[in-house]
Amino acid sequence: MSEEITIENFYSKAKSGKLFASQCIDCGKLSLPPRKICPVCYSTKATWRELGNEGIIESFTIIHVPPKRFEHEVPYGVCLIELNEGIKVLARTTMLEKLKIGQKVKLKIIDAQRNEWPDWPYFTIE
Amino acid sequence: MMNKPLATIVSAGCSKFGKRKGVMARELLVEAFEEALSRSKDPDIRGKIKIGIFGNFSEYFEHQAHVAPIFSDWLGFHNLPSVRVEDACASGSAALRMGILAINSGLYDVALVAGVEKMNNRTTTEVTDALMSASDIAVEQWSGLTFVGVFALMATAHMHKYGTTEEDLALVAVKNHRNAYYNPKAHMQKIITVEDALKSRVIAWPLKLYDCSLVTDGAACLILAKPEIARKFTDMPINIIGSGHANDHSAITEREDITSIPGIKIAAREALEQANIKIDDVDVFELHDCFTIAEIIAYEELGFTEKGKGGKLIEQGETDLNGSFPSNPSGGLKAKGHPVGATGIAQIYELYLQLRGEAGQRQVKGAKKGLAQNMGGSGLTHFVTVLEAEK
Ligand SMILES: [Zn+2]
C-alpha cells in the first residue's frame, strides 16, 4: 500500500474492483477521490483505506438530456450515495426503480473499457 | 456609519440577449460598450480607461482562446492592458471583483469590466458538454451527471427533506418570465403558467425545461472609477459598497448537506459587513437562478427566510416586484438568459438601472440599495455584490 496517493492510482485500483479512499493519519478524515492534503486538518500524512460497498441513497436525479459520452444510456439515474464509512460517491444506473432516498444499495465498479484518457471505470449500483 | 465605496460604477451597457445568429462574441461586446460610452458625461471616457478585464467562460464555443487582447482591440483600444478571467458561470463577477481590486488598490482610476458568451453556435449536446466541464471531472463529470443533474440532486433532496414541491420550482420560473416580459433586452419575453412549466419536458428529473436557464448569447459591461472622480463621468453614480467572494469544496460529494450552498452565505456575510447593512436593508436582488432550485436555496442562504422555507416564500409572493425581497426583476438567468461569462455583469447592469430608476415597467419602486448573487459551477465559486445609489 505504498503507492502514491493520486487520482489515477485510485481509479486503477477501482478497475480491479476495489474501492480505496485516502485517510488522514492525523485526524482520520476520509477523502474520495483520495488527496494528499487533508481538507480538515491540512496534514500531509495520508494512507490508503479500503472501503466496503454498502451505502444509502442520499439523493438522485434521472438524466434525460445527457452528455455525449452517455447518450446511449438515457434515461439513466445518477445517485448520490453515502457509504457506511460516512463518505459520499456518485453512481449511475438504469435500474430506475431502485431510486429512492434512503434506499440501501451496493456499489459496483465496471470497467469502462476505454482506450483513451481518462480510462477510468464507472460506478453503478447492484 | 457608511464606509467609503470600494469603487463606483459610472457607466454601464448591455447587449440584447438571445440567440444572436450572425454576431460573434466580440461584436456583442461592442454593442454593450457603445451603450456604456453613450451614457457617459465625458465624451472621452474611452481615453480614461486604462485596463480591460473580461469575464468569459469557454474557448470551446467559438474555438477562441486568448480573447482579452482581441476584445479590447475590437472595442477600439490601442495597447490597453487586458486580461480574461474565468470562473464558470461567475466569470462576469470575477471580472468585476478584479476591477474592484484594480480601482481600490489605487493602481487604476478608471477600469472597464465586461462579460460575454456566444453559445448558440453549438448544439444542445455540445453546450451540455461544455457546461459540464465546469464541474469536477474526477467526480461529477465521470458519473454521467450533467450540470442540470447536479442541481437536480439538490432539488430531489430539498423536496424530500423540506416538502418543497415541483409547483414551487415552477413558481420561480413563472415569476422570472413575468419580469422578463417587461425587459426589452431579455432573451424570452414570454409569460408562462405553472402548468406550462410542469408540462415541459424533463431534462434531469425533477428539473424540467422551464426550470433551466436559457442558452443565450450576450454581453454586458461596466465602467468603474475611483469614487472621488465619479462625477466627472456621471450625475448619478452607483457605488459598490460591498463585495464578497467565497469558495466551497470542488465536488458535491464533499458537501455536508446537499440541500445547502454554504458559499452563498459566506460571500453575502462579507459583502453585507463591508456595506455595514443587513439583508432587510436591501431593496432589490438579482439572484443566480441557473436552475429554479438554485433561486430557492439562495433565498435561504441569504436569510430571506429560514432553511427549508424557500418554497413557502415563493408561494407567498414575497420575491415578486412588490414583495419584501424583490428578486430577479430582470427576468434572471431563467428568462433574461444566461450567457455564462456575461451573467455576473448583466446582473449588475440590471441593478444599475433599478437604482437609477430606469427599469421601466419592472422597476422596484424607490430602490436605493441592491444586491447581486452570482455562482460558478455546482456551487463552488460565489460572489455577492452590494450597490447603492449615491445621494
Ligand atoms: Zn486530517
Side-chain angles (χ1 to χ4, degrees):
Chain A
M1 269 307 125
S2 58
E3 272 163 291
E4 211 183 333
I5 291 185
T6 62
I7 291 168
E8 295 290 358
N9 282 338
F10 159 70
Y11 275 118
S12 56
K13 285 168 179 300
K15 245 183 176 175
S16 65
K18 290 182 172 177
L19 187 67
F20 283 86
S22 61
Q23 184 162 36
C24 172
I25 288 176
D26 288 322
C27 79
K29 163 80 179 166
L30 290 166
S31 286
L32 207 86
R35 49 171 90 193
K36 274 182 191 156
I37 301 178
C38 174
V40 174
C41 76
Y42 318 123
S43 165
T44 52
K45 283 178 261 161
T47 185
W48 291 101
R49 154 99 188 269
E50 188 172 356
L51 303 176
N53 67 344
E54 291 178 5
I56 60 160
I57 294 181
E58 185 182 328
S59 192
F60 67 91
T61 175
I62 300 163
I63 304 287
H64 289 255
V65 178
K68 190 149 194 61
R69 189 179 285 141
F70 303 106
E71 262 173 343
H72 55 287
E73 289 184 31
V74 285
Y76 60 84
V78 177
C79 44
L80 178 65
I81 298 168
E82 179 161 0
L83 296 172
N84 289 354
E85 289 83 356
I87 192 168
K88 298 177 195 180
V89 62
L90 291 163
R92 191 168 75 259
T93 180
T94 48
M95 295 185 291
L96 303 183
E97 69 283 358
K98 292 244 178 184
L99 296 172
K100 221 178 110 191
I101 290 180
Q103 170 81 43
K104 282 188 186 169
V105 287
K106 282 187 176 169
L107 195 73
K108 194 174 140 191
I109 305 171
I110 35 171
D111 192 340
Q113 314 255 353
R114 287 169 53 87
N115 299 318
E116 56 177 323
W117 188 88
D119 58 349
W120 304 334
Y122 295 132
F123 295 138
T124 184
I125 53 175
E126 1 180 90
Chain B
M1 188 52 208
M2 246 304 291
N3 304 325
K4 180 175 167 280
L6 299 166
T8 300
I9 301 168
V10 296
S11 194
C14 186
S15 77
K16 164 75 182 153
F17 277 20
K19 288 189 200 272
R20 298 293 309 272
K21 202 170 171 357
V23 186
M24 291 185 73
R26 64 187 82 177
E27 292 157 342
L28 290 165
L29 272 171
V30 168
E31 196 178 313
F33 189 52
E34 281 184 319
E35 181 188 343
L37 290 179
S38 73
R39 284 175 170 277
S40 168
K41 205 163 85 172
D42 177 352
D44 183 37
I45 193 167
R46 179 202 303 274
K48 312 292 188 324
I49 294 170
K50 298 298 179 197
I51 186 168
I53 305 166
F54 298 95
N56 176 243
F57 165 54
S58 180
E59 54 270 24
Y60 174 76
F61 295 125
E62 286 187 332
H63 199 266
Q64 181 68 68
H66 201 194
V67 290
I70 295 174
F71 290 163
S72 63
D73 184 24
W74 240 255
L75 294 180
F77 289 97
H78 301 288
N79 191 25
L80 181 74
S82 300
V83 64
R84 166 198 177 193
V85 293
E86 190 275 309
D87 262 319
C89 313
S91 298
S93 291
L96 172 60
R97 173 83 173 181
M98 296 306 118
I100 293 169
L101 298 183
I103 299 288
N104 202 247
S105 67
L107 273 179
Y108 293 94
D109 288 345
V110 185
L112 173 70
V113 297
V116 64
E117 212 75 51
K118 168 72 195 180
M119 306 175 74
N120 279 293
N121 298 333
R122 302 289 176 186
T123 65
T124 304
T125 308
E126 288 170 340
V127 171
T128 302
D129 279 351
L131 291 175
M132 199 52 200
S133 74
S135 72
D136 191 335
I137 185 159
V139 184
E140 291 148 343
Q141 289 184 45
W142 206 244
S143 71
L145 265 186
T146 55
F147 215 67
V148 201
V150 173
F151 284 85
L153 287 176
M154 299 182 202
T156 308
H158 205 281
M159 288 160 61
H160 181 82
K161 194 165 170 186
Y162 298 113
T164 304
T165 62
E166 290 177 60
E167 285 80 1
D168 292 338
L169 300 178
L171 282 170
V172 174
V174 169
K175 167 182 72 67
N176 291 350
H177 273 275
R178 189 168 59 230
N179 293 347
Y181 186 76
Y182 298 110
N183 182 356
K185 290 192 172 172
H187 183 160
M188 272 184 98
Q189 288 183 273
K190 179 182 151 191
I191 303 271
I192 62 159
T193 64
V194 169
E195 202 181 30
D196 293 332
L198 291 176
K199 272 193 333 217
S200 64
R201 73 192 167 98
V202 177
I203 307 294
W205 188 91
L207 301 182
K208 300 160 205 75
L209 185 65
Y210 276 121
D211 289 303
C212 304
S213 53
L214 303 169
V215 175
T216 302
D217 308 325
C221 70
L222 309 169
I223 301 175
L224 305 183
K226 270 202 316 209
E228 302 87 295
I229 61 167
R231 287 195 179 263
K232 288 185 186 174
F233 307 107
T234 178
D235 294 327
M236 258 201 277
I238 302 298
N239 289 323
I240 300 171
I241 59 171
S243 164
H245 181 187
N247 273 17
D248 202 353
H249 290 294
S250 56
I252 50 160
T253 45
E254 286 287 335
R255 212 168 295 157
E256 217 166 291
D257 175 6
I258 184 80
T259 66
S260 293
I261 308 178
I264 299 175
K265 190 177 281 174
I266 298 166
R269 194 185 304 135
E270 184 186 0
L272 290 168
E273 273 174 13
Q274 272 171 6
N276 203 12
I277 60 170
K278 290 198 269 309
I279 199 75
D280 298 331
D281 299 326
V282 179
D283 305 306
V284 57
F285 299 85
E286 280 286 300
L287 304 180
H288 193 88
D289 58 329
C290 51
F291 304 100
T292 49
I293 184 65
E295 182 166 323
I296 285 181
I297 294 175
Y299 296 163
E300 299 168 358
E301 301 295 348
L302 291 170
F304 295 1
T305 183
E306 290 164 52
K307 182 72 214 156
K309 300 255 175 80
K312 278 277 165 300
L313 200 74
I314 185 87
E315 286 171 22
Q316 292 158 352
E318 291 290 358
T319 54
D320 290 351
L321 289 182
N322 58 1
S324 333
F325 300 98
S327 297
N328 283 324
S330 69
L333 285 55
K334 173 72 269 286
K336 178 189 61 186
H338 183 27
V340 177
T343 284
I345 302 288
Q347 290 181 320
I348 301 293
Y349 174 80
E350 174 69 13
L351 295 179
Y352 167 89
L353 295 181
Q354 290 283 342
L355 300 183
R356 289 163 58 98
E358 296 173 353
Q361 292 192 75
R362 63 184 195 282
Q363 178 68 44
V364 174
K365 283 205 189 79
K368 291 293 165 223
K369 291 188 180 72
L371 180 148
Q373 173 255 329
N374 186 202
M375 171 161 70
S378 34
L380 278 61
T381 296
H382 301 274
F383 292 97
V384 170
T385 312
V386 182
L387 307 180
E388 183 178 39
E390 193 170 292
K391 281 155 202 122

